[in-house]
Amino acid sequence: MPKIKVALIGVGNCASAFVQGLQYYGKSEKKEDYTGLRNPSLGGLAPIDIQIVAAFDVNDRKVGKDLAEAIFAMPNNAPKVAEVPSTNIVVNKGPLLDGVGKATRNVVQISNTPDSDVAKILKEAEAEIVVNLLPSGATEASQWYAEQALAAGCAFVNATPNFIASDAAWAKRFEEAGLPLAGDDLVDQVGSTALHKTLLRLLSMNGVRITETYQLDVGGGTESLDTLDRTRDAKRAIKTQSVASSLPYKTEVVAGSTDYVDFLLNKRDSYFWISGVYFCNAPMQIDLKFSTVDAPNAGSVLFDIVRAMKIALNKKLKGAILPVCAYAFKRPPAWVRWRARQMLPLETAEETFKRFIMENT
Ligand SMILES: NC(=O)c1ccc[n+]([C@@H]2O[C@H](COP(=O)([O-])OP(=O)(O)OC[C@H]3O[C@@H](n4cnc5c(N)ncnc54)[C@H](O)[C@@H]3O)[C@@H](O)[C@H]2O)c1
């Protein structure tokens, strides 16, 4: 079976979880070995079919190193769950652009190795799918790498909250190039947004009128530091819109990352507050804390996305692949959203994705 050839842009915590996950699940044979994966097999493809063929970063501790070493270099703090043997993939230097913000400049030493020719490396490595795992504030750099994917004839997955798949002009460019595109802003496997939406939907289906709700996070990964500095407002807008879409009426909703606490390392604590009324105006409240580790939360979803994108490539599908965007991203293209402020309900997105896989394999 030919491998799914993936290039990683940014060898940070998510990349670490992804690479370790490939090792962790690579030799799985029995059903129990796949515990923790949403889809052990997708359209006949297993994690073992995914192969990383190129990686790019700007951090001096990562550039020039084998990927197996770079994923554990500072400031990465995703937990080590697998011994990753040498991969023979050396991390290439990408152009810095706006990749490192004010807050993270103190923790990322920029390599002075000359920038590599990214499109050329992608072509030589025969990369099929470029996965953008840059910091959320890297708007210009994300667009630059999307250009490189186009130039190299690769599909593009945008895990960041920068608007690429949800931007009609970018979607059109990938469509014209005959290449698939998916984004924006990855949905976590056990994410606070999905949990919040599910709780609100359950309550409103039972006749509860939610009067106000918020969900706030604290995290200790580099991404939380970057978010605090550069993308707090944008992330908050995406999350709030997504959460509000789960209710059939307007109410007071706030959802978004709030702060950075270094000693949490790659952990994330999410706080939920929900207040509402039910029968004869009786009050109800939920006050909840939910703790996760950030980077592994992206692993299973990324495995699903790259396998779905391979299926899209095999079928020569082009432009934003809507069932993948709706299933795996917080901000899919506008035409996936219902009415002005609504998105596909989680179950509908899941069904649409499963149907897409079945119909195309
Ligand atoms: N569960 C999750 O972790 C999750 C969920 C949803 C979305 N995301 C998104 O995924 C992205 C990656 O998250 P992360 O936690 O791995 O971030 P991170 O900060 O740990 O990693 C980013 C990496 O990009 C590198 N980089 C910066 N500028 C670069 C450039 N110009 N060229 C190449 N590399 C460059 C950094 O050195 C770093 O290694 C973020 O945008 C985040 O919002 C993550």
Side-chain angles (χ1 to χ4, degrees):
M1 170 91 70
K3 295 279 185 187
I4 308 167
K5 295 187 175 169
V6 174
L8 299 177
I9 310 299
V11 184
N13 282 315
C14 274
S16 174
F18 187 74
V19 173
Q20 291 190 70
L22 291 177
Q23 186 66 28
Y24 188 95
Y25 290 108
K27 295 192 181 73
S28 302
E29 280 170 3
K30 300 187 295 293
K31 208 173 158 208
E32 312 83 80
D33 297 341
Y34 287 111
T35 302
L37 283 189
R38 190 155 166 184
N39 295 295
S41 171
L42 202 63
L45 298 167
I48 199 166
D49 299 315
I50 302 170
Q51 181 188 10
I52 297 171
V53 295
F56 300 86
D57 209 287
V58 292
N59 183 332
D60 197 37
R61 293 190 176 100
K62 302 175 182 174
V63 172
K65 303 280 174 4
D66 188 286
L67 185 61
E69 189 184 338
I71 54 173
F72 298 116
M74 289 280 284
N76 286 12
N77 52 15
K80 184 167 181 170
V81 293
E83 285 300 333
V84 180
S86 169
T87 60
N88 291 324
I89 304 295
V90 171
V91 177
N92 294 288
K93 167 84 190 318
L96 177 62
L97 304 165
D98 57 354
V100 176
K102 243 191 350 272
T104 49
R105 206 163 276 267
N106 295 331
V107 292
V108 179
Q109 290 170 22
I110 311 296
S111 162
N112 50 25
T113 304
D115 294 347
S116 51
D117 184 336
V118 174
K120 187 161 169 257
I121 291 172
L122 291 174
K123 276 192 208 156
E124 284 171 0
E126 297 179 1
E128 298 171 286
I129 302 166
V130 171
V131 180
N132 179 27
L133 297 171
L134 290 179
S136 56
T139 307
E140 206 188 315
S142 293
Q143 294 183 5
W144 190 88
Y145 281 105
E147 289 286 358
Q148 302 305 298
L150 281 170
C154 300
F156 192 73
V157 172
N158 179 37
T160 81
N162 295 296
F163 299 166
I164 296 188
S166 61
D167 178 311
W170 274 108
K172 186 156 177 267
R173 290 196 57 200
F174 275 82
E175 189 160 355
E176 283 166 359
L179 294 167
L181 170 68
D184 299 317
D185 199 4
L186 205 67
V187 162
D188 281 332
Q189 182 180 8
V190 279
S192 50
T193 306
L195 179 60
H196 200 181
K197 287 168 83 165
T198 306
L199 283 172
L200 294 182
R201 242 179 83 98
L202 176 72
L203 292 167
S204 75
M205 268 165 47
N206 283 320
V208 176
R209 176 88 199 182
I210 307 295
T211 47
E212 54 192 28
T213 181
Y214 66 70
Q215 184 267 302
L216 305 172
D217 287 351
V218 284
T222 324
E223 175 54 23
S224 297
L225 185 59
D226 188 59
T227 302
L228 187 61
D229 175 30
R230 302 198 282 180
T231 53
R232 188 167 142 142
D233 292 348
K235 278 221 157 188
R236 190 174 169 122
I238 291 178
K239 281 189 159 199
T240 300
Q241 191 182 30
S242 179
V243 170
S245 74
S246 63
L247 287 172
Y249 50 83
K250 272 195 169 179
T251 192
E252 296 294 337
V253 180
V254 170
S257 296
T258 40
D259 225 324
Y260 171 70
V261 177
D262 60 351
F263 63 74
L264 281 179
L265 300 175
N266 196 229
K267 290 196 289 264
R268 177 174 294 271
D269 287 340
S270 306
Y271 297 89
F272 296 77
W273 163 258
I274 302 172
S275 179
V277 289
Y278 57 105
F279 193 67
C280 294
N281 221 25
M284 58 81 38
Q285 281 161 359
I286 295 179
D287 194 354
L288 189 81
K289 177 182 169 190
F290 165 62
S291 295
T292 51
V293 189
D294 222 17
N297 227 335
S300 171
V301 187
L302 282 172
F303 280 13
D304 287 353
I305 298 168
V306 294
R307 288 179 288 173
M309 291 301 263
K310 174 70 177 178
I311 291 164
L313 280 165
N314 286 346
K315 283 281 173 168
K316 301 204 173 351
L317 303 179
K318 51 194 184 171
I321 308 299
L322 304 184
V324 182
C325 297
Y327 165 78
F329 295 93
K330 292 192 205 80
R331 193 178 199 277
W335 55 96
V336 174
R337 289 181 238 149
W338 279 14
R339 287 180 250 134
R341 50 181 278 280
Q342 294 225 324
M343 283 191 238
L344 286 186
L346 296 169
E347 316 83 81
T348 316
E350 168 105 25
E351 271 165 36
T352 312
F353 179 73
K354 292 274 161 75
R355 201 172 330 115
F356 164 83
I357 301 293
M358 264 172 45
E359 285 172 0
N360 288 290
T361 49

